[in-house]
Amino acid sequence: MLQPTQAARAPAGERAGRHDGEALYAALDLGTNNCRLLVASAHSSADKGAGAIKVFDSFSRIVRLGEGVSATGMLSDEAMERTMGALKACQKKLEKYTLQDVRFVATEACRRAGNGAAFIEKVRAQTGMSIEIISTEEEARLAFLGCSSLLKPESRRAVVFDIGGGSTELMWVDVGQGKRIDDWLSINYGVMNLADKFGGQGFADVAFSDMTRLIAGYIAPFDAKNKIREAIAGSHVQLLSTSGTVTTLAAIHLGLPRYDRARIDGITLSVADIRATTIFGNKYVA
């Protein structure tokens, strides 16, 4: 079972402030494929409920930091340059606010690359941003905390998963026991390095069956250990995810010309919806 840990706190100079009477917080996720920033306040209301947030600012850019890491074991100069540009854009956004607290984290690309820690130190020197390279366990825990409020009371069990650019985390959750994570699994493949393994994004359609078999092979022991297949057949098991993959599927399902957070966050799709959208998406890309 995952053990809770204390969140890293920002230095005093980066805290101590409010915006229009509200305490603001910032979170940055430097992933293998994307760099994302969110500036928000806690915001409970009758329509949003407890645990909701009010977004003041955000940033998202595909940086492909982990490009080539699987082959070379190192972050490339080009990838680091792209990422540094995105982080400097985040820095400019952060300078507009007085923040109560922040947490900036980096995941699989920086975990795996031999020069990952050196790059994070370079970021600190150039931007003043202190980014923490977190473990797969902490990544899973944070993913769960970020979406656990969407677990439905009628669900006895849930599979919570986060498909990243360089890794995928799955959690087997007992919803009835205080939303407890009973087991978890980290697979060292995400959308980016999985595509790279099979020749790049241009070969994704051709290699789709091979990709599926590879990931299914990692999941099978986790399924057998926790009897997930039997649980799904015997009772209501919720599938809950937080990642660009599922939000993109939801956007395609809704036919959105542009991403709309208000329409995507908390959306429920049936398995039939997902299958139909995936088939449509493949035809659309082709």
Side-chain angles (χ1 to χ4, degrees), residues 20-97:
D20 296 333
E22 296 187 75
L24 295 190
Y25 302 86
L28 183 140
D29 176 13
L30 179 57
T32 302
N33 197 40
N34 288 279
C35 175
R36 295 189 178 94
L37 171 73
L38 192 69
V39 178
S41 67
H43 187 69
S44 298
S45 63
D47 60 322
K48 297 293 185 180
I53 62 172
K54 178 179 179 181
V55 176
F56 282 80
D57 212 337
S58 63
F59 175 90
S60 180
R61 182 182 297 177
I62 295 175
V63 295
R64 294 183 64 83
L65 178 60
E67 185 175 43
V69 169
S70 296
T72 67
M74 303 290 282
L75 303 175
S76 70
D77 292 340
E78 295 82 2
M80 290 189 287
E81 184 178 351
R82 288 193 301 265
T83 304
M84 186 67 78
L87 290 170
K88 287 181 177 178
C90 290
Q91 178 195 26
K92 289 182 179 179
K93 283 183 172 287
L94 291 168
E95 287 173 350
K96 299 187 296 183
Y97 303 98

Side-chain angles (χ1 to χ4, degrees), residues 21-275:
E22 296 187 75
L24 295 190
Y25 302 86
L28 183 140
D29 176 13
L30 179 57
T32 302
N33 197 40
N34 288 279
C35 175
R36 295 189 178 94
L37 171 73
L38 192 69
V39 178
S41 67
H43 187 69
S44 298
S45 63
D47 60 322
K48 297 293 185 180
I53 62 172
K54 178 179 179 181
V55 176
F56 282 80
D57 212 337
S58 63
F59 175 90
S60 180
R61 182 182 297 177
I62 295 175
V63 295
R64 294 183 64 83
L65 178 60
E67 185 175 43
V69 169
S70 296
T72 67
M74 303 290 282
L75 303 175
S76 70
D77 292 340
E78 295 82 2
M80 290 189 287
E81 184 178 351
R82 288 193 301 265
T83 304
M84 186 67 78
L87 290 170
K88 287 181 177 178
C90 290
Q91 178 195 26
K92 289 182 179 179
K93 283 183 172 287
L94 291 168
E95 287 173 350
K96 299 187 296 183
Y97 303 98
T98 307
L99 301 169
Q100 182 76 8
D101 211 345
V102 304
R103 191 175 188 190
F104 307 146
V105 302
T107 55
E108 184 66 16
C110 289
R111 277 196 299 262
R112 185 179 299 188
N115 57 346
F119 175 65
I120 293 301
E121 178 55 29
K122 184 177 180 180
V123 170
R124 188 201 62 75
Q126 292 193 18
T127 70
M129 300 168 64
S130 297
I131 301 178
E132 171 193 2
I133 302 175
I134 60 174
S135 66
T136 55
E137 181 175 350
E138 179 67 354
E139 185 175 359
R141 190 186 74 88
L142 292 176
F144 175 70
L145 290 177
C147 65
S148 60
S149 62
L150 296 175
L151 289 169
K152 297 178 180 179
E154 63 269 24
S155 301
R156 294 183 57 190
R157 288 280 187 173
V159 178
V160 180
F161 58 99
D162 178 23
I163 305 171
S167 69
T168 298
E169 279 68 46
L170 297 95
M171 289 139 277
W172 181 233
V173 177
D174 189 333
V175 180
Q177 296 294 323
K179 299 178 181 178
R180 183 185 69 200
I181 300 174
D182 281 348
D183 199 5
W184 71 288
L185 170 70
S186 181
I187 301 171
N188 62 347
Y189 283 108
V191 295
M192 186 174 159
N193 58 356
L194 181 62
D196 289 346
K197 179 178 176 62
F198 289 91
Q201 294 180 351
F203 294 90
D205 284 348
V206 176
F208 183 76
S209 295
D210 292 332
M211 291 178 173
T212 302
R213 279 193 292 271
L214 175 66
I215 300 305
Y218 283 99
I219 296 175
F222 183 72
D223 170 31
K225 177 184 176 183
N226 294 290
K227 296 183 170 58
I228 296 174
R229 190 186 301 257
E230 291 89 334
I232 291 174
S235 63
H236 183 59
V237 175
Q238 182 180 354
L239 303 179
L240 177 61
S241 182
T242 169
S243 71
T245 300
V246 294
T247 56
T248 298
L249 277 173
I252 295 172
H253 170 73
L254 294 175
L256 299 181
R258 296 187 63 183
Y259 186 80
D260 185 344
R261 180 191 301 274
R263 295 186 64 185
I264 296 297
D265 285 357
I267 191 172
T268 298
L269 300 179
S270 68
V271 173
D273 288 335
I274 294 171
R275 285 176 174 160

